[in-house]
Amino acid sequence: MSKAAEVSPRVLLFTGKGGVGKTTAAAATATLAARRGLKTLVVSTDTAHSLADALAVEPGEVAPGLHLHQVDTQKSLERHWGELRDYARGLLTELGLDEITSEEITVLPGAEEIIALLELREHAQSGAWDVIVVDCAPTAETLRLLALPEALDWHVNRLLPVGRRIMKLAAPFVRGVARVSTLGDEVVGAGERLHRALLEVRELLTGDGASVRLVLTPEAVVLAEARRTLTSLNLYGYRVDAVIANRVFPAGGADEWRAQWVNAQTRLLAEAEESFAPLPLHVVPYLPAEPVGADALAAVGERLYGEADPFGPPGVRPPLRLSADELELDLPGADRGDVDLARKGDELIVTAGPYRRILALPVALARREIGGAVLRDGVLRVRFSSGARSGATSGASGHDDRPAAT
């Protein structure tokens, strides 16, 4: 059992299209948790780092029971990725690049987001927190980030063993001819540790104590993106347990101009309620002033959740479920034209819109043929036949492997 499974803080991730108020929702939720006596940490995977602005404080203990953490990328990079970066820097220097250029190139794009995930894992494993609130980057970046641990696992499991063998065979020739450093055991070990750490991140964020909350504003474009995000998060195995509609105009006392907004938002909220059912839809009214500081945010949190318990266990089932002869994957909002299914060896490849997930089948199912697949009421069900698979271990997709709506 990994360390991520030994501790159980409630982990809440907030995401949504840029500008919809996800940072405010995250900060309000964290402030509310602390005021209810829960030891709370609020962190951000968004490089914009606007949490400190929302709370109007510097990182640290910002209120009783509430801590704000901001990632120091440079220090964390050295700690988590030191050997890999040192190797890359040395290799580039040997290839003729000067030291300053090598230093700049080895600060990888996306490193800050990856480090934020690794630090989230460490905070969860510390046992110091009852609730961890994560202000995520806007939707597209969040989906790429959350898909990273599983994607890296797929590549590492195939490439690392081969890479070790090749480097051992090639090392004498490479060093003798090109004078280029080869991967030592310490560098490969650093890569393996990074790989294991990201898998623990995924285990944490897809576990029973973690869920995502989608933040939107009642606008047609934002609502359409939120629907696609819900489908994609489920595809990757992340539970969404609530939707937050922000900046909703109150109906009372509206003048002619605001009444038009009220009518449009009322229609879109009804559409959102239908689209995301049975998830709860929490509404935050358009406030007369921006909520800045702990008191204002706590008031938003109270209004946001009302009588609901925002820190209880997720009220939704895991998106991916396996039984003796069937695989079920929740894909709310998807239709037949969005979804594609293929089988390759011991893997099931599921595509939903622009996103794809490669599922390594458990041994009991990997040995069997697909007997049929259907997408109905937002659930993809893949049935496996009772007999063992015949033929090669690496098949390709065929018509019978694709879901059919009935």
Side-chain angles (χ1 to χ4, degrees), residues 83-84 87 164 167 175 181-191:
E83 299 99 324
L84 290 175
Y87 169 77
R164 278 184 180 275
M167 291 311 299
R175 287 199 180 99
S181 300
T182 57
L183 290 170
D185 286 342
E186 70 280 359
V187 175
V188 175

Side-chain angles (χ1 to χ4, degrees), residues 83-84 86-95 167 170-187:
E83 299 99 324
L84 290 175
D86 289 345
Y87 169 77
R89 186 190 300 144
L91 177 60
L92 291 169
T93 302
E94 289 182 21
L95 292 175
M167 291 311 299
F173 304 101
V174 173
R175 287 199 180 99
V177 176
R179 294 189 301 171
V180 174
S181 300
T182 57
L183 290 170
D185 286 342
E186 70 280 359
V187 175

Side-chain angles (χ1 to χ4, degrees), residues 77-286:
L77 194 63
E78 292 290 347
R79 187 158 52 92
H80 291 288
W81 219 333
E83 299 99 324
L84 290 175
R85 200 181 71 160
D86 289 345
Y87 169 77
R89 186 190 300 144
L91 177 60
L92 291 169
T93 302
E94 289 182 21
L95 292 175
L97 294 177
D98 61 70
E99 186 175 344
I100 293 177
T101 304
S102 301
E103 178 79 26
E104 292 175 348
I105 289 177
T106 51
V107 178
L108 300 177
E112 186 159 354
E113 289 85 349
I114 295 173
I115 292 300
L117 284 181
L118 295 177
E119 291 202 1
L120 173 61
R121 158 185 163 269
E122 290 184 354
H123 288 304
Q125 290 177 352
S126 72
W129 311 107
D130 299 315
V131 176
I132 300 177
V133 175
V134 185
D135 176 29
C136 296
T139 306
E141 290 87 346
T142 296
L143 288 171
R144 285 196 294 269
L145 188 64
L146 293 179
L148 177 65
E150 191 170 73
L152 181 63
D153 180 50
W154 189 89
H155 288 290
V156 167
N157 283 336
R158 284 151 185 77
L159 297 179
L160 197 57
V162 175
R164 278 184 180 275
R165 292 196 296 270
I166 291 176
M167 291 311 299
K168 284 182 179 179
L169 291 172
F173 304 101
V174 173
R175 287 199 180 99
V177 176
R179 294 189 301 171
V180 174
S181 300
T182 57
L183 290 170
D185 286 342
E186 70 280 359
V187 175
V188 175
E192 290 174 333
R193 288 194 297 276
L194 176 65
H195 169 225
R196 287 195 301 270
L198 286 173
L199 286 185
E200 289 183 357
V201 170
R202 175 170 175 79
E203 183 182 347
L204 169 70
L205 297 183
T206 58
D208 292 338
S211 56
V212 182
R213 291 183 182 163
L214 281 178
V215 184
L216 56 84
T217 50
E219 302 168 72
V221 173
V222 176
L223 180 56
E225 179 170 317
R227 288 195 197 100
R228 291 191 294 269
T229 302
L230 177 63
T231 304
S232 304
L233 287 167
N234 275 264
L235 171 67
Y236 291 126
Y238 296 97
R239 304 185 211 207
V240 177
D241 71 348
V243 178
I244 297 169
N246 194 26
R247 299 180 191 144
V248 177
F249 282 108
D255 57 26
E256 183 179 351
W257 179 83
R258 189 155 57 87
Q260 294 179 10
W261 275 102
V262 170
N263 291 336
Q265 288 190 340
T266 299
R267 175 177 55 81
L268 287 167
L269 285 173
E271 192 177 321
E273 198 160 2
E274 181 180 353
S275 296
F276 297 116
L279 297 178
L281 179 66
H282 302 295
V283 174
V284 182
Y286 215 124

Side-chain angles (χ1 to χ4, degrees), residues 231 331 334-341 350-353 375 380 402-403:
T231 304
L331 295 174
D335 58 35
R336 185 176 179 179
D338 297 323
V339 179
D340 188 49
L341 179 68
V350 184
T351 304
L375 178 68
L380 173 65
R402 301 178 186 274

